[in-house]
Each structure stands twice: as C-alpha cells, then as structure tokens.
Amino acid sequence: MSTETETGVEDGNTLFSDIDLSWEHRKNELFRWLLIAASLFGVVMLALLLFDVVTDFYTGLTEFNISLYEFFTQDGSQEETRAGFKGAVIASIMLMIMTAVLAFFVGVGSAIYLEEYAPDSRITRLIEANLANLAGVPSIVYGLLALAAVVNGIGIGPILIAGAVALGLLVMPIIIVSTQEALRAVPDSVRNGSYATGATKWQTIRRVVLPAAIPGIMTGTILALARAIGETAPLIMVGALFVNRTPSGPTDRFSAMPTQIYNWAAQPSEHFIHLAAVGIVVLLSFLFVMNGVAIYIRHRYETEV
Amino acid sequence: MPTQETETQQADDQLITTDIQHAESTRREQPDQTVLEARDLDVFYGEDQALRSVDIEIPEHKVTAIIGPSGCGKSTFLRCINRMNDMIDVCRVQGELTFRSKNVYDEDVDPVALRRKIGQVFQKPNPFPKSIRDNVTYGLEVQGKSATDDDVERALRGAALWDEVKDQLDSSGLDLSGGQQQRLCIARAIAPDPEVILMDEPTSGLDPVAASKIEDLIDELVEDYTVVIVTHNMQQAARISDKTAVFLTGGNLVEFDDTASVFEDPEDDRVEDYITGKFG
Amino acid sequence: MGTETPTQTGAEITGGGAAAGDNAANRRARRILFGCAAITVLTTLAIFFVLLDNAASYFFGAKFTEMTRGASFEQTVTFTEFFTGQRWAPDHARPAHGILPIVFGTLAITVGAAFVAIPIGTATAIYLSEYASPGIRSKLKPMLEILAGIPTIVYGYFAIAFINPVLLSGLAAYVLNPLGNGLLQVGSALPGTMGDSLTSIATSMIGINVGRYSLLSGILVVGIMTIPMVSSISEDAMSAVPDDLRNGAYALGATKFNVSTRIVLPASISGVFASYILAVSRAIGETMAVTLAAGFNANITTNPFDEIMTMTAYMVSMARGTSAVGTVEYQSLFAVGLVLFVMTLVMNLLNDAFKRRFQEEYQ
Ligand SMILES: Nc1ncnc2c1ncn2[C@@H]1O[C@H](COP(=O)(O)OP(=O)(O)OP(=O)(O)O)[C@@H](O)[C@H]1O
Ligand SMILES: [Mg+2]
C-alpha cells in the first residue's frame, strides 16, 4: 500500500512534504483566536460594567455631592438631595435573617430526608424532579405567589414577612441542593462506624453526619442568601416599593436595597441615577463580603479534612 | 486469574517454542529496513524518569513486540513515537527518535503530520460515539481526503470486521461487542493508510476468542504496515512478533533481538527470570 | 441508605428493648424530615393553584375559590381575545387584552439574547475545556462566576446608565446616522429600484434615534448575563467527554480544531443543549434587567431601537401601578404570570430531559 512507493531512506527534510498541513494549522489558529475573542467578550463586559458602576459612584460622590455619611444615616426620600439608604440596608438585613430562618431548617431537613432516608420510590423521584423544576422557576413568580397567598390572601399587606416568604421559597432549592452535596461528601464509612456502635439512623445523622457536613451546608446557605439579597423582582411583586422609612419590625412595610436601587435607577434625574450607583456599590460590597465568608469557610474546613 | 496462570505455566513454556517455530516459518523474507530508531532516548514525567537511554531499531514490515513488567515505560515509549506525549504537560523527552531518519522531535516536525503516518490502537477500545461508517471515515476526513464506500469496505475488511457489520454501517460504533469495537478501532487506524501502527495492549480487555482474531489480524496487517505492539502476554508476543524488546522496571531496555532468541536464549539473566515468570 | 434492624434474638436485643426510645425518635425525625421535603412539592402546587385561581378571576370575574362559595361569574375576557388580540392595555381607559405584544417582547429578547449567549458561551466553553492552559482557566473561570453572581438589578442599571445612553446612542449618532447620510447620497445618484431601496434604507438609518429604552439594549444585557450559564454548563459537559476519545482522534492526526468540533462537541451535545435551554428559560423569566433596558411600550416591532415590553416588565408596571386588587386589570397580572410560568415549565422539563440523556451517556 502506502510504502510501496516510498522504499528507500527518505531525505529527512522531505519526509512530511507530502502532507500539507499549513491550512489545517491556520484553521486551528484562527479557531483558537476566535475562541479567545469570545472568551474575552464576557471579561470585557464584566470590566465595563464594573467600570461604569465605579465611575458613576465616583461622580456621584464628587459632582453630585452625595455624602456617604448621610447616605448611610438617612432614609429614602422623594427629594434627591435628601435621599439615603439607611432604611433599605436595615430592611435587607432583616429580610436576610428572616429568609435564613424560614429556608434553612426546611431546606436542610428536606436534604437530609432525600439523602439519608428517602427510599428509591416514585415519590422520591417526584420530589427530586420537582426540585429541579423549582430551581428554574423565574424569581418573579415566587413574588406572585407571595403576593396572592400572603399579601392579599392572608391579608397581611406588603410587609417584611411577605418578602421573606417569597425569598425563602426562592432560595430553598438552592439550599437543598448544596446541603445534599455536603451530605453526599460524608463517606459511608463514617456512617457505618456509627451504626456499628448501635446508633439509630437519626442518631448517626445528628451526631456524625451533620457535624461533618456543616461547613458545606453553611457555605451553601450563605451563597443562597447572597443570591436572595440581590433579588429585586419578587420584592417588587410583594409591594416593597415607594417606602422610605426604616422598618421597625418584621410586620412593617419596607423597601430593601435592590428595590430602592431600582426606584432610583428608574428615575429620569441624573442625581437619582448616581444615587443608584452608590447603592449598587453598597449592595456589591455585601455580596463580596458574603462570598468571602463562604469561601473562607470552605477553605478552612477543606484543609482540615 | 493468577491461579490458573501458575497451573498452566509449564504447558505454556512448550507452547512458546512451537509458536516461535510458527513465527519463524512465516517470517517475511525481506531485507530489514529500519523505520523507527531511538538513540539515547530519555523520558521524564516531571522529576521522575520513565525511560532511560533507550536504543532501538524497529524494522519495517515486521511486528515488534514490547514486553516488560507494569510501569516499566512501555506505553511511554509508544507515546513517544507518535508524540502523543506532547499532550501530557509534565512530560519531557530527551535524545533522538527518528522516523525514516528524521528526528520526530526536531523543531520542524509537525506532530499532527507525524500521526497521519503513524496510527495507534489503544488498550481500551475507544470508538467515537458515531456510526460505524463515520468512525472509519473520520481519519480520512480530518486528513482532508474524501472517503468513499470502497474505503470503508477496504478498511473494515482489513480489520476482519466487514462481514460482521456490513449490514449495520449506520448503527453506532458503541453497539458492537468489545472485540468488534477494538477491530473497528483498527479499521479506523488503517483507513487513512498510515505506515506504522502502534498498539498498546490491544487485546488485554478482550476474551480469548476476540483476542485471537486480533492476533490473526496483526499477522495480515504486517504485510502492509509496520506494527509495534505492547503486550503483557508473553505467549502473544512469542506467537505474533518478529522482534521483541524487553523493558524492565526503571525504564531500561535490557534486551532487543529476534523474538526467537529473546525467548529461547536471552542474554540478560533478569530477562530470563522475567520470561520464565520468576518476577514481574 | 442501608436498612436497619437486622433479625434479632434474645430479650435485650428485640423490639421494645433498650433501643426502643431511640428508634421512636428516629421514626419521628423521619416523619418531620419528610414533611420538610413535602413542602417543596407543596410550593409547586401552590404556585399552580394561586396562578390558576387568580387567572380565573381575570377571565371569569371570580376566582375558583369564590365560585365554590357561590359567587356569580361571567366571562370578562375571552380566550380568543387574550391569545390572538394584537393590543395589550388592560389598565387603559379603552382596555385591550391581547397578550401577543408582550409575548412578542419576551420572545424578541429571548431569541436575541440566545444569539448573543449561545455562540459566545459555547466558544468560551470550548476554549476552557480544550484550549486554555490551566493558568488561564484558573483566571477566566472565576471571572465568569462573578459575571453569573452579579444581581440582575445591576445589569439593569448597566443597561439604563451605559448600554443604551452611551453605547447604542453613540452607535446611532456616530456610525449609523452618518452612514445613512452617506448612503442617501449614493442612493440618490443611483437610478432605478436599486437607488430607491437604498434611499429608503438610508432614510431609516438616519431616522434612528435611541430613546431611554430599546429592545437591542435588552437583548445585549440579557445575552451578557446568560453567557456564564451556557459556558459553565457546556464546559462541564465537554469535560465529561473521556480523554480516550480525544486521544483516538489525535492519534489519527487530527488537530485541536478537528477534535473540538468533531469529537468533543458532538459527544457532549445533549449537555450543551441543556445549557442553551437553561439560558433561554432564564431569559424568558428575566425581569429587572429587561425592565430597565427595554421599557414599557407594548408593541410589536422589527426596529431594534424601539422600546418594547416583556411579560415580566408588564408585571412590574402593574405592581408599581395603582390598580385596585381584584379588578380585571389587576388580575391580568396573574394571567400573564401563568403564561410565563407555563413557558418556563416547558423549558425546565426539556432541560431535564436533555440533562438526563447526557447523564445516561456518560455515567
Ligand atoms: N501521565 C503521566 N504523568 C506522570 N507519570 C506518568 C504518566 N504516565 C506514566 N507515568 C509514569 O511513568 C512510568 C511508566 O509508565 P507507563 O505507563 O509507560 O508504563 P507501562 O509499562 O505502560 O505500564 P503498564 O504495563 O501498567 O501499562 C510509571 O512509573 C508511571 O507512573
Ligand atoms: Mg501501559
């Protein structure tokens, strides 16, 4: 076959000359650069976005004389020069705590059931499939649910509890999935060791499995809350808009950080736009800190194991 | 199945001798022409040296078997030949490895072009998740050659698979049995008509019947191609190869000669021990 | 997990022995935990029920729950008008209930964003899984994760403060309008129908002016925010393709380009499709970014510089509005919500099917 025509020692330099690969390689290089350009697109957009926010933040402080001190100590206001972020920040923190309380126990409980107890039955598969679907439900729909069932249905009005219900249901699937992963990471040998001493399943879970999984669960929960704190649409649906006061308790009306930012960003006034930029920097700082804590927990306990 | 192996050890010794006679009688009468030659070849994975100063000359249109204990660098040597080692980040190659007197590690050598001349069959059958036909034509197509039905038939016949699959060319390559998959991989390798075919334990995952089919096939392939085969199975090496290279732990090539002399009268005591099963 | 209580003999180790209390606690815990898991199913049922119930009062003037208590009902909005009407203005003095314009708005954004996110996200995934060195990977991946973690309200701000007023206005004022002027001269010089059609294209280019909101701005911003979804899920799928296949192709003299496009991409295609569907589903339900980018004008248009309204933007505008609870215009919120929910549900089920297929192929 091939070698019939090529007997005899060939000159090394002409050995591969029957294969012209220059086009192949050029195609490959072209493709590589195309991929690099596409990959850079996302990076460039991220840089542009951050750059835009930071410059607006800066001009807000300098040209529009937004004082950070007043920004944090004053409530919202219709008057652009008097508007602050205090009420929104406090509402967001309260909202986060209430969301955590609502979603954490049920979420972790569901995950324990699914990972440790659930038989391989139809019902289990239904719950799992439903979970995957819930994670894909648009956040605004959770807002509609809370609006119809809690705000109008029970009739408690657009108060913090209603917002927390919407956000709690929204982050529940995220907490469940991350808890399941944390439980799965606990090796079975640990469980068997506990059973061998005569512990029941529940004792094993409470004393051995959960303590081993708790860093992972905490990391997942913090990340879920970081998602919740930036959610806007469900709160707007619940009616958390146009309130400037600092909420006095869980039953008070409120506007949180993202809804306040939306309110400002939707105004035609340049001053309000820059207030929104300052608010965004505050919101992103919250996210930054929360992600930092989550990463810290993960690393700290990963290295210990 | 280690127990079985020890039981049949002595019977195998006799088998080896008859196999060698068979190989000798069918040895193709051609002047030896060196296709591949390694000179002072060292390979490192990071700090660890996998091959030490290997010198070898692999003749054209012959089956060269590479044997040796696990981890001695057989696969590493094979991957050096078609520069698949390039894909391993920590791998470093020193010394010379020439293909038709051209050092394949020269700057101007294109590994992609090299691999179009030197095909490979892997230990685990790895057909692409495509139809049988597309598996066979893949190599031709990436090499810019148009693939006809004749090419498909020729390659599949060459791999002794044609009769079994000719009615199901459009079904997935993954639907075949393990032995058929491996022959499909051989068909895939020979379809673009390379000059050398490297095989890394091509029968280790197969049952004896499927394995012996592949062995018969190798016997035919060597009419057209040069075959370099890594195997753990000494009877197989004795049965099918013309030349045998023995690597020992640490990456040293300790013996390289005609298969008959390696098995009947090894120069190195360690090789004798290895072949007779005293270690390895 | 494994089953408990192996067969036991003797009084100490039979039921009712020392472990009885602990076993009861275990059973109790199991029941409570099952209750937790059941809440997730109840959530889905509640969403369905609430949306249907409230949508009923939009179409029939009374909720199902009210009807069972004997409330009278009459058809307020016909399904024909709802699904085929071309004008959407439930809270207008002259109300109209045709949902098409806002469905169009949602689909225009979704399809447009898919044209941005799918090619760029797929290319990024191939780059990450096949080409990038470990060093570059470890830098690029966190950046994409940040992109994915930024709240949608911030993307909305980016659209209304930068993309629309700076990027698109600049494009219109400094590129498209001058280009139109140039073309106009060429068009008027050319004779016949070719000149005419060129002139009309030129006039429309001169006429472009970017307002506060635009469809294109919404497409861009939603496209950007869904890139990381496509890239990360596609990359996971591509990385799951066994190296055996890559080596098989490389050994045949394939280039990286061949391996990426002819082996890796086809082998991971169902996982890659799953990522597309997820991105599309996300774009359909996206709210804040499109509200701030594309605006509140429910119209069907082919001009990307026009203001449009998506279903979600309509819902925001209703929540900001002053309609009284229970009125037809207020209840339209839930009818739209139901349509939105069903659309994303279909996407999620499709996504699930593709994901399952991919897992079957590679696990
Ligand atoms: N990708 C790699 N990275 C680092 N070290 C490697 C790699 N591949 C092989 N090695 C090392 O190189 C040495 C030789 O390995 P090689 O796979 O060539 O052996 P082998 O003779 O083929 O063994 P086997 O018979 O088990 O297949 C071994 O010590 C192995 O640990
Ligand atoms: Mg090997």
Side-chain angles (χ1 to χ4, degrees):
Chain A
M1 275 192 202
S2 69
T3 46
E4 236 84 318
T5 54
E6 293 172 22
T7 41
V9 178
E10 283 178 63
D11 177 6
N13 294 325
T14 61
L15 182 57
F16 299 116
S17 60
D18 60 324
I19 305 178
D20 181 18
L21 282 172
S22 54
W23 167 234
E24 287 288 307
H25 285 300
R26 224 173 307 143
K27 212 160 57 178
N28 186 45
E29 272 304 286
L30 208 74
F31 188 60
R32 198 168 74 90
W33 281 109
L34 205 75
L35 298 183
I36 290 177
S39 305
L40 281 179
F41 181 82
V43 176
V44 167
M45 284 302 145
L46 176 64
L48 260 182
L49 185 152
L50 294 178
F51 177 77
D52 177 53
V53 168
V54 169
T55 49
D56 285 359
F57 170 77
Y58 181 74
T59 48
L61 297 194
T62 53
E63 283 173 36
F64 292 89
N65 294 318
I66 299 170
S67 137
L68 275 183
Y69 175 75
E70 283 172 15
F71 191 73
F72 282 114
T73 51
Q74 287 186 342
D75 282 340
S77 169
Q78 305 285 53
E79 245 175 273
E80 52 192 32
T81 49
R82 291 184 45 205
F85 212 41
K86 177 179 147 219
V89 172
I90 290 179
S92 272
I93 293 174
M94 291 170 74
L95 203 53
M96 216 169 34
I97 294 170
M98 293 160 67
T99 303
V101 171
L102 284 177
F104 181 77
F105 296 102
V106 178
V108 172
S110 308
I112 295 175
Y113 177 77
L114 289 173
E115 274 312 298
E116 308 285 333
Y117 281 99
D120 185 18
S121 69
R122 262 236 186 94
I123 295 180
T124 307
R125 277 196 296 277
L126 177 88
I127 295 175
E128 296 265 9
N130 173 60
L131 212 54
N133 176 53
L134 270 188
V137 170
S139 62
I140 194 169
V141 172
Y142 287 98
L144 276 186
L145 173 62
L147 170 67
V150 183
V151 177
N152 299 339
I154 306 177
I156 58 175
I159 61 172
L160 272 167
I161 294 177
V165 168
L167 295 184
L169 292 176
L170 171 71
V171 297
M172 190 115 67
I174 308 176
I175 293 182
I176 295 176
V177 169
S178 60
T179 303
Q180 278 181 296
E181 272 164 23
L183 293 173
R184 232 172 277 151
V186 178
D188 265 351
S189 58
V190 170
R191 292 184 180 82
N192 292 336
S194 166
Y195 291 137
T197 63
T200 64
K201 186 162 252 181
W202 174 237
Q203 286 169 323
T204 302
I205 291 167
R206 226 185 43 200
R207 288 157 193 260
V208 182
V209 179
L210 272 185
I214 207 75
I217 297 175
M218 290 316 293
T219 307
T221 305
I222 293 172
L223 291 178
L225 291 179
R227 161 92 192 273
I229 201 173
E231 275 297 342
T232 320
L235 299 184
I236 292 180
M237 285 300 115
V238 163
L241 218 56
F242 310 127
V243 176
N244 291 320
R245 280 180 298 110
T246 303
S248 58
T251 55
D252 206 355
R253 294 175 169 231
F254 71 105
S255 175
M257 288 198 279
T259 44
Q260 187 66 271
I261 292 168
Y262 169 65
N263 231 347
W264 286 336
Q267 306 275 353
S269 135
E270 276 293 307
H271 195 113
F272 273 124
I273 292 271
H274 286 83
L275 278 171
V278 180
I280 286 176
V281 170
V282 175
L283 177 64
L284 289 182
S285 311
F286 266 85
L287 290 181
F288 185 78
V289 171
M290 293 172 84
N291 277 280
V293 171
I295 290 170
Y296 172 79
I297 294 179
R298 184 183 294 161
H299 274 262
R300 165 100 197 262
Y301 290 92
E302 236 172 37
T303 43
E304 257 179 34
V305 170
Chain B
M1 293 164 283
T3 47
Q4 260 182 339
E5 264 172 42
T6 41
E7 275 169 16
T8 54
Q9 186 69 50
Q10 275 162 342
D12 278 346
D13 278 351
Q14 277 164 344
L15 263 179
I16 290 177
T17 9
T18 41
D19 284 334
I20 289 166
Q21 279 154 4
H22 163 76
E24 266 172 337
S25 67
T26 58
R27 182 163 300 154
R28 289 142 284 270
E29 298 303 329
Q30 274 177 2
D32 277 4
Q33 182 109 57
T34 302
V35 207
L36 289 161
E37 181 177 1
R39 254 177 267 127
D40 205 12
L41 186 74
D42 292 314
V43 179
F44 301 85
Y45 291 108
E47 296 296 301
D48 304 325
Q49 188 160 6
L51 288 182
R52 284 171 212 274
S53 186
V54 170
D55 292 292
I56 193 171
E57 289 180 12
I58 293 173
E60 189 168 19
H61 290 299
K62 295 273 158 73
V63 179
T64 301
I66 297 176
I67 60 176
S70 186
C72 66
K74 306 180 295 291
S75 302
T76 300
F77 177 66
L78 218 59
R79 284 200 301 266
C80 280
I81 298 176
N82 62 348
R83 288 186 57 176
M84 288 294 276
N85 274 336
D86 287 16
M87 243 102 59
I88 300 171
D89 285 333
V90 293
C91 185
R92 212 151 36 81
V93 178
Q94 277 169 11
E96 229 176 66
L97 199 154
T98 59
F99 170 56
R100 299 199 185 284
S101 346
K102 172 75 178 162
N103 187 356
V104 302
Y105 286 93
D106 279 352
E107 290 264 299
D108 59 341
V109 170
D110 178 352
V112 174
L114 178 70
R115 291 178 202 137
R116 294 179 179 196
K117 301 227 176 221
I118 303 179
Q120 181 171 3
V121 177
F122 296 80
Q123 174 171 1
K124 208 172 114 223
N126 58 351
F128 302 136
K130 298 169 180 283
S131 70
I132 292 173
R133 186 198 311 277
D134 290 349
N135 264 284
V136 177
T137 57
Y138 179 85
L140 287 164
E141 280 173 17
V142 298
Q143 300 188 13
K145 302 168 188 163
S146 60
T148 62
D149 284 349
D150 284 347
D151 293 322
V152 175
E153 180 172 346
R154 189 174 43 79
L156 285 170
R157 277 193 195 285
L161 188 61
W162 173 251
D163 292 330
E164 290 159 67
V165 302
K166 61 173 182 252
D167 299 323
Q168 48 175 102
L169 291 178
D170 290 311
S171 62
S172 168
L174 295 172
D175 294 341
L176 300 174
S177 74
Q180 288 174 321
Q181 286 190 3
Q182 192 63 302
R183 276 178 284 147
L184 178 60
C185 291
I186 293 176
R188 187 176 76 188
I190 61 178
D193 210 14
E195 297 176 28
V196 179
I197 298 175
L198 310 175
M199 298 187 171
D200 193 349
E201 303 183 38
T203 63
S204 67
L206 306 180
D207 65 84
V209 177
S212 86
K213 275 199 183 146
I214 305 255
E215 285 182 16
D216 294 344
L217 183 56
I218 291 170
D219 231 35
E220 284 168 29
L221 287 177
V222 81
E223 302 282 340
D224 299 310
Y225 308 98
T226 303
V227 176
V228 183
I229 177 170
V230 170
T231 174
H232 265 297
N233 180 331
M234 260 161 301
Q235 290 75 37
Q236 184 176 64
R239 273 196 299 274
I240 61 175
S241 72
D242 306 291
K243 291 270 194 181
T244 296
V246 187
F247 284 75
L248 288 183
T249 311
N252 294 302
L253 173 62
V254 289
E255 185 119 11
F256 177 58
D257 208 337
D258 287 344
T259 298
S261 16
V262 171
F263 278 94
E264 278 164 7
D265 181 22
E267 277 170 28
D268 196 304
D269 288 346
R270 291 171 299 168
V271 174
E272 172 134 36
D273 289 348
Y274 174 67
I275 287 171
T276 53
K278 291 214 178 107
F279 83 95
Chain C
M1 302 280 125
T3 51
E4 298 151 65
T5 56
T7 42
Q8 293 164 337
T9 50
E12 299 276 285
I13 51 174
T14 52
D22 293 335
N23 281 329
N26 182 43
R27 280 191 297 275
R28 206 162 46 238
R30 185 192 163 115
R31 270 197 302 277
I32 292 170
L33 295 173
F34 176 77
C36 291
I39 287 181
T40 60
V41 178
L42 289 181
T43 305
T44 307
L45 294 179
I47 290 173
F48 244 124
F49 175 76
V50 156
L51 292 180
L52 276 175
D53 197 31
N54 282 278
S57 103
Y58 170 69
F59 288 111
F60 304 111
K63 295 182 190 174
F64 291 131
T65 38
E66 291 163 349
M67 289 177 205
T68 55
R69 275 186 258 117
S72 67
F73 59 91
E74 49 170 341
Q75 186 116 30
T76 43
V77 178
T78 63
F79 290 115
T80 333
E81 179 181 8
F82 186 68
F83 286 114
T84 60
Q86 303 262 343
R87 189 170 152 256
W88 178 253
D91 51 350
H92 199 268
R94 246 180 346 104
H97 297 277
I99 199 175
L100 284 183
I102 58 174
V103 169
F104 166 83
T106 292
L107 291 183
I109 296 270
T110 303
V111 172
F115 272 101
V116 175
I118 287 179
I120 293 178
T122 313
T124 306
I126 297 177
Y127 183 68
L128 281 171
S129 115
E130 306 300 311
Y131 281 80
S133 68
I136 290 181
R137 257 176 70 91
S138 68
K139 291 189 187 69
L140 188 54
K141 278 189 72 136
M143 286 200 226
L144 290 166
E145 275 164 30
I146 294 176
L147 207 58
I150 287 179
T152 61
I153 179 75
V154 180
Y155 281 102
Y157 177 85
F158 185 48
I160 201 166
F162 183 79
I163 295 187
N164 218 43
V166 181
L167 205 64
L168 296 185
S169 294
L171 181 74
Y174 298 108
V175 181
L176 297 178
N177 297 352
L179 200 68
N181 277 322
L183 284 182
L184 193 62
Q185 274 155 18
V186 180
S188 53
L190 281 177
T193 50
M194 214 170 95
D196 290 346
S197 58
L198 202 61
T199 313
S200 76
I201 292 173
T203 343
S204 66
M205 276 170 85
I206 295 167
I208 290 172
N209 80 62
V210 182
R212 191 165 158 71
Y213 302 107
S214 72
L215 169 59
L216 188 55
S217 165
I219 286 175
L220 285 177
V221 80
V222 176
I224 293 167
M225 60 196 279
T226 43
I227 288 173
M229 292 187 125
V230 174
S231 70
S232 81
I233 296 173
S234 293
E235 193 221 333
D236 287 348
M238 291 174 190
S239 305
V241 173
D243 269 346
D244 286 358
L245 296 183
R246 290 188 183 82
N247 289 338
Y250 282 126
L252 286 167
T255 59
K256 232 172 206 166
F257 169 72
N258 300 136
V259 173
S260 307
T261 55
R262 310 214 21 194
I263 301 294
V264 177
L265 195 60
S268 58
I269 200 72
S270 39
V272 172
F273 276 156
S275 84
Y276 296 169
I277 290 166
L278 203 69
V280 164
S281 164
R282 172 82 187 276
I284 291 175
E286 174 43 43
T287 308
M288 295 326 296
V290 294
T291 305
L292 281 168
F296 298 102
N297 186 1
N299 73 19
I300 298 177
T301 172
T302 53
N303 181 352
F305 294 95
D306 274 352
E307 177 178 353
I308 54 117
M309 178 153 81
T310 63
M311 295 193 283
T312 50
Y314 172 72
M315 291 157 78
V316 169
S317 79
M318 272 319 284
R320 285 175 31 158
T322 52
S323 305
V325 177
T327 57
V328 171
E329 62 261 31
Y330 183 84
Q331 294 300 335
S332 67
L333 191 55
F334 296 98
V336 175
L338 184 61
V339 173
L340 180 76
F341 179 68
V342 169
M343 281 166 80
T344 53
L345 183 70
V346 169
M347 287 294 145
N348 292 340
L349 295 178
L350 216 61
N351 172 50
D352 213 45
F354 274 109
K355 234 168 41 192
R356 235 171 263 265
R357 229 178 96 182
F358 184 72
Q359 277 163 0
E360 272 164 24
E361 277 163 20
Y362 287 101
Q363 264 144 38

